[in-house]
Amino acid sequence: QQYHTSPSVASFPDVAGSVWTWAHDGTKPNGIIEFLPDGGTKWFNGARSLEVKEGLNWKLKESGTVLETSFNGVHHELVYVASEKKAVLRSPERSPSSQMWIQGDRGRLLLFDFKILLSKI
């Protein structure tokens, strides 16, 4: 399902300091991304590695409805679907679309959560 513009697309919640679970195939979690308040990101992938990018690595655009970021070597644009509490990949196009869900604890990645994620891979 592609979300380019529709009534279900809304402004992102506060992204700075938030932690999201990433699913490349849209369903199975295979990474965690943290959006740092300074514009950087921390990407944890299924290979048990950590990629940290400092500075302007993410931003909101189109009145806050699109999140633009780069991680794992790929530029991504995502839209927030408030009714489903998830973000869905707009670009690059994939079928099915990659998705991410915000984690409950904002501003920090819990090692316990990451171990659970890795155990599912």
Side-chain angles (χ1 to χ4, degrees), residues 70-88:
S70 293
F71 60 91
N72 202 28
V74 179
H75 177 82
H76 301 84
E77 288 188 357
L78 299 112
V79 293
Y80 184 66
V81 183
S83 62
E84 300 176 39
K85 297 183 180 178
K86 66 182 178 184
V88 179

Side-chain angles (χ1 to χ4, degrees), residues 37-41 53-59 68-70:
D38 69 356
T41 56
K53 290 191 176 183
E54 298 177 359
L56 302 174
N57 196 46
W58 68 267
K59 67 180 177 180
E68 183 178 75
T69 186
S70 293

Side-chain angles (χ1 to χ4, degrees), residues 1-6 88-97:
Q1 185 173 11
Q2 294 293 325
Y3 295 89
H4 292 280
T5 55
S6 75
V88 179
L89 189 68
R90 177 173 87 168
S91 174
E93 287 192 25
R94 292 188 185 124
S95 183
S97 296

Side-chain angles (χ1 to χ4, degrees), residues 17-103:
S18 64
V19 179
W20 298 70
T21 300
W22 178 262
H24 183 81
D25 68 0
T27 56
K28 183 180 177 185
N30 68 315
I32 296 173
I33 185 165
E34 181 176 358
F35 296 97
L36 305 174
D38 69 356
T41 56
K42 289 183 183 176
W43 165 249
F44 303 83
N45 68 23
R48 295 173 171 79
S49 66
L50 167 64
E51 171 188 283
V52 178
K53 290 191 176 183
E54 298 177 359
L56 302 174
N57 196 46
W58 68 267
K59 67 180 177 180
L60 292 174
K61 59 185 201 175
E62 297 181 29
S63 301
T65 61
V66 175
L67 173 65
E68 183 178 75
T69 186
S70 293
F71 60 91
N72 202 28
V74 179
H75 177 82
H76 301 84
E77 288 188 357
L78 299 112
V79 293
Y80 184 66
V81 183
S83 62
E84 300 176 39
K85 297 183 180 178
K86 66 182 178 184
V88 179
L89 189 68
R90 177 173 87 168
S91 174
E93 287 192 25
R94 292 188 185 124
S95 183
S97 296
S98 298
Q99 299 182 29
M100 65 181 189
W101 300 267
I102 195 165
Q103 292 189 2

